[in-house]
Amino acid sequence: MASHTQCLASLARLSLTAPARPTVARTIPKFLLPAAAAPLVRHAGAGGMRKRPAKKKKVYKSFRCFDLGPMEQFSLCDAMRYLRAFEVGRPPAVVKYEVAVKLRTNKSGPVIRNRIRLPFPVKTDTRIGVICPEDSPLMVEAQQLGAVAVGEESLFESIRQGNIPFNKLICHVDSQDALKKANLGKLLGPKGLMPSQKTKTLTTDLKATVQDLIGADEYRERSGVVRLAVGQLGFTPQMLSDNVKSLMSLLKSDIGNADDNHPKMLDEVVLSSTNGPGFSLNGLFPPADENLKPEQLQSVM
Amino acid sequence: MVGAIRRLNQLTALVRIRNGPGAAVLPQDVTRLHMEFAHKLNGGHMGPRKFWRDALPRLKYWNPAIPMVVNRSNNQEGPATLTLYFREPGATLGSDIPQPSSSAEGFAKAPAPAEGERALTIDMKNRRSEAILKEFMDKSGAVAVKITAQDEADLREIEEREAMGAIARENTKKMNDAAKREKQMIAQAHSEAAAIKADL
């Protein structure tokens, strides 16, 4: 607001001579020129803006967990009955059952991250790319294992051009340095494809890793929740139960392996489907309704 | 993860799947259902779509063992039919009847009735879902489920909650609109002042 002295000066000048153009002092809104509009003297006790100290927001160290007392919990078959009603008429291969496992955990610290081979795989469209030295026996091995893209510099070049025909990428240790030099982190990182020791995609044994990846699903903890698709809509209650059980047993071992400084605990298991609501599970299998039998939940969707 | 209270409210809303139009138990001799219609509403496919969205989940909840297959296609001029399959009196059906599963690409055509089965077709084109449901209930012999006292109380509670939610939503909208208007006025005044300054 440096202009108000200028403005007053020009006003003074204008008062001596005939105004060449209409004066504007009156049209300037009051709140833009408070000094010109109001007297410059300030009186004590006139109020004024007193700055209050900003309220400090409470920072929680752990993710919020709710009291599950009032939460209605369902057995697996009951939840399936509702979900099948919500998903009626949908193509069964497209619609998935999903499990969200809420953990009691701190916001900081390591997260749970693992790979699981479900007894009944949910998706079967794994396409693997392998980074290994060109023209080596490893390349032939990778091709025999069913990799859709194999190579080193040629593969990097095609990735740079946006040609990514795979949804899983593994790297042999021999090509590790070449991968580092290729600077592909920006392209592959956001897609979760960058090979690393952490995700067990940097390997010395291509065969074992490829077999591990095919039909295996990855899960990781995000915001204190582990989410994973555990079944297709066409699965029977028994198939879904097997998948959920194997996931839970692996998760429990993951939780047990968490280090003592960052303890984790299981809080809630929620089953939902692509278009359905989430059902908190109580860990039981048989339906609560005695008229319903698990066999009735196997019909074609 | 979605908050516990919101999820809890969604679960109490399950009372709407257990009750309402379409909550009915089909007789023992109904073996399967098949629906066929188009993805979009033009060409008289609105009613069938609404029937699928509103009534079919309730039917599926009360008759979990009966296959209910929906075949949606992109052909808006195509038919909109509901086919009911009945077991002939005294006949026993094999367990290996070929049964396509639902499709969104028009691949699940209505199968011909198997041996010992008869089919009944309801034309759904250019009809409202209520009319379709009424004909369906008459022809299938389905028995509507009576609402329990507990469910009735739950339903009333949900309706009250939604009414209160609507009021709160309206108030919030008013406040938001007022804040937006004020912001706009200030921005306009600022731009006018800038124009005046540029003139000086």
Side-chain angles (χ1 to χ4, degrees):
Chain A
M1 211 42 79
S3 67
H4 97 259
T5 48
Q6 280 176 356
C7 180
L8 288 178
S10 65
L11 277 179
R13 226 181 317 121
L14 283 170
S15 65
L16 295 174
T17 57
R21 44 185 174 178
T23 53
V24 289
R26 242 170 279 154
T27 60
I28 293 177
K30 253 185 182 181
F31 62 88
L32 289 175
L33 275 178
L40 284 168
V41 188
R42 278 187 61 171
H43 302 285
M49 295 275 282
R50 215 181 340 140
K51 249 193 185 170
R52 286 207 192 99
K55 213 175 186 182
K56 213 176 181 186
K57 227 179 179 184
K58 202 175 175 191
V59 180
Y60 293 94
K61 276 188 178 167
S62 58
F63 287 109
R64 196 169 168 193
C65 285
F66 294 89
D67 172 24
L68 293 177
M71 179 63 90
E72 197 179 346
Q73 292 197 312
F74 295 79
S75 74
L76 187 76
C77 281
D78 287 331
M80 271 185 88
R81 181 184 186 178
Y82 278 113
L83 287 175
R84 282 166 66 92
F86 274 100
E87 302 285 1
V88 66
R90 304 261 179 197
V94 176
V95 174
K96 304 278 193 290
Y97 287 111
E98 289 149 23
V99 155
V101 182
K102 177 137 176 84
L103 306 172
R104 282 177 187 274
T105 169
N106 284 345
K107 284 181 181 173
S108 61
V111 295
I112 285 178
R113 186 172 187 181
N114 207 344
R115 207 183 288 152
I116 185 174
R117 182 183 287 273
L118 292 169
F120 300 96
V122 178
K123 53 175 188 212
T124 48
D125 64 334
T126 316
R127 298 182 305 280
I128 295 175
V130 177
I131 301 171
C132 58
E134 309 249 2
D135 302 323
S136 65
L138 285 170
M139 196 163 166
V140 181
E141 190 194 341
Q143 274 164 346
Q144 279 169 355
L145 287 168
V148 292
V150 187
E152 203 169 63
E153 203 45 57
S154 57
L155 185 59
F156 296 157
E157 199 47 51
S158 80
I159 291 170
R160 281 194 203 100
Q161 282 162 5
N163 178 22
I164 301 178
F166 44 82
N167 51 18
K168 292 268 156 62
L169 183 62
I170 59 178
C171 176
H172 195 267
V173 176
D174 293 355
S175 295
Q176 194 179 356
D177 294 337
L179 178 69
K180 268 183 194 160
K181 274 180 204 152
N183 254 340
L184 289 170
K186 249 186 195 169
L187 284 168
L188 295 175
K191 293 187 169 71
L193 289 172
M194 192 68 189
S196 77
Q197 205 79 56
K198 232 185 195 174
T199 53
K200 295 170 195 162
T201 43
L202 201 57
T203 175
T204 49
D205 187 358
L206 285 181
K207 195 176 176 188
T209 313
V210 167
Q211 280 177 349
D212 203 22
L213 278 177
I214 291 176
D217 294 300
E218 275 176 21
Y219 61 81
R220 67 175 299 173
E221 175 195 337
R222 289 176 206 271
S223 307
V225 184
V226 174
R227 293 186 179 82
L228 188 71
V230 289
Q232 295 180 1
L233 184 62
F235 280 13
T236 65
Q238 199 55 53
M239 285 160 87
L240 191 65
S241 160
D242 287 354
N243 273 2
V244 173
K245 267 182 196 156
S246 74
L247 171 67
M248 290 317 293
S249 62
L250 191 61
L251 257 181
K252 272 177 192 156
S253 79
D254 284 343
I255 290 169
N257 290 340
D259 70 43
D260 294 343
N261 297 333
H262 304 283
K264 290 177 194 291
M265 261 162 65
L266 211 64
D267 187 40
E268 193 187 6
V269 184
V270 177
L271 179 76
S272 78
S273 66
T274 305
N275 305 296
F279 291 86
S280 193
L281 296 182
N282 60 9
L284 300 175
F285 177 75
D289 183 356
E290 67 273 7
N291 295 327
L292 182 73
K293 292 178 192 73
E295 299 88 84
Q296 292 178 324
L297 298 172
Q298 303 183 0
S299 60
V300 178
M301 285 299 288
Chain B
M1 196 161 195
V2 179
I5 293 164
R6 197 190 300 175
R7 276 189 288 133
L8 193 63
N9 287 345
Q10 274 178 352
L11 292 182
T12 49
L14 290 176
V15 66
R16 295 218 168 114
I17 273 258
R18 294 193 295 265
N19 304 288
V25 177
L26 290 166
Q28 286 289 321
D29 59 343
V30 173
T31 52
R32 45 187 169 154
L33 295 185
H34 182 276
M35 283 182 83
E36 174 151 358
F37 53 90
H39 275 284
K40 293 182 183 164
L41 59 90
N42 46 324
H45 291 279
M46 179 60 134
R49 214 158 57 110
K50 286 279 171 194
F51 184 88
W52 168 52
R53 301 288 258 183
D54 298 340
L56 208 60
R58 297 192 177 106
L59 276 169
K60 184 71 186 173
Y61 176 80
W62 286 107
N63 309 280
I66 295 177
M68 298 180 184
V69 171
V70 174
N71 185 30
R72 287 177 293 157
S73 71
N74 288 315
N75 179 15
Q76 294 296 137
E77 280 78 49
T81 56
L82 179 101
T83 316
L84 270 157
Y85 294 81
F86 294 94
R87 190 184 291 110
E88 292 281 20
T92 47
L93 294 176
S95 56
D96 54 345
I97 300 171
Q99 171 68 58
S101 50
S102 300
S103 166
E105 279 101 31
F107 295 140
K109 289 273 176 240
E115 211 172 313
E117 215 179 23
R118 77 187 156 85
L120 193 155
T121 306
I122 298 171
D123 184 26
M124 302 192 288
K125 215 164 189 185
N126 291 314
R127 295 177 70 189
R128 291 186 68 91
S129 66
E130 296 90 343
I132 298 167
L133 182 64
K134 191 166 182 305
E135 188 178 346
F136 173 83
M137 295 287 272
D138 290 345
K139 288 195 171 166
S140 67
V143 183
V145 175
K146 258 197 184 151
I147 187 165
T148 63
Q150 177 64 42
D151 277 1
E152 212 160 359
D154 284 354
L155 206 56
R156 216 174 301 125
E157 200 177 294
I158 291 168
E159 273 159 11
E160 273 167 25
R161 196 171 71 211
E162 282 178 350
M164 278 166 73
I167 294 169
R169 207 169 297 124
E170 212 168 276
N171 287 345
T172 315
K173 188 172 186 311
K174 255 184 218 163
M175 267 158 60
N176 286 347
D177 285 352
K180 217 187 255 174
R181 209 167 37 241
E182 196 171 325
K183 214 174 169 187
Q184 211 176 1
M185 277 163 71
I186 288 175
Q188 201 184 348
H190 272 293
S191 67
E192 275 173 13
I196 289 165
K197 262 189 222 168
D199 266 359
L200 273 176

